[in-house]
């Protein structure tokens, strides 16, 4: 499955790609130079992670289930950090 993922653009990966967490980390790092930039734990025990390239050129949103399967939820380009404060709104 990894060879198939490597041949697809990041938006195609978002369709249904799931791998063990360590393999997803390796894939995103080697293929897109993406590393975790934000993490959060969802109420159901799932880990939500945003992976971004250092220059923001690509990003991937992934969810890891308690059994260790990591699935891509969405992927795209031109990631920007929002530094919003209460006063911004």
């Amino acid at each position: 499955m990894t060879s198939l993922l490597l041949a697809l653009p990041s938006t195609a990966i978002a369709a249904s790609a799931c791998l063990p967490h360590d393999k997803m980390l390796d894939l995103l790092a080697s293929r897109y130079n993406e590393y975790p930039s934000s993490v959060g734990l969802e109420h159901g025990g799932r880990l939500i992670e945003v992976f971004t390239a250092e220059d923001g050129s690509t990003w991937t949103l992934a969810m890891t289930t308690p059994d260790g399967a990591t699935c891509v939820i969405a992927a795209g380009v031109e990631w920007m950090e929002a530094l919003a404060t209460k006063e911004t709104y």
Side-chain angles (χ1 to χ4, degrees), residues 70-82:
T70 301
C71 302
V72 173
I73 298 169
V77 297
E78 302 303 324
W79 181 266
M80 290 187 276
E81 292 292 326

Side-chain angles (χ1 to χ4, degrees), residues 19-36:
L19 294 170
H21 190 260
D22 60 336
K23 292 194 183 304
M24 185 65 76
L25 288 172
D26 291 344
L27 173 69
L28 293 174
S30 64
R31 175 73 175 168
Y32 301 102
N33 201 30
E34 292 180 359
Y35 298 91

Side-chain angles (χ1 to χ4, degrees), residues 7-21:
L8 297 172
S10 62
T11 52
I13 289 176
S16 63
C18 295
L19 294 170
H21 190 260

Side-chain angles (χ1 to χ4, degrees), residues 38-70:
S38 299
V39 272
L41 191 58
E42 184 254 352
H43 290 291
R46 293 176 286 220
L47 180 69
I48 305 299
E49 295 177 278
V50 177
F51 296 83
T52 56
E54 189 175 332
D55 63 0
S57 58
T58 62
W59 59 269
T60 302
L61 178 64
M63 174 187 66
T64 302
T65 60
D67 68 357
T70 301

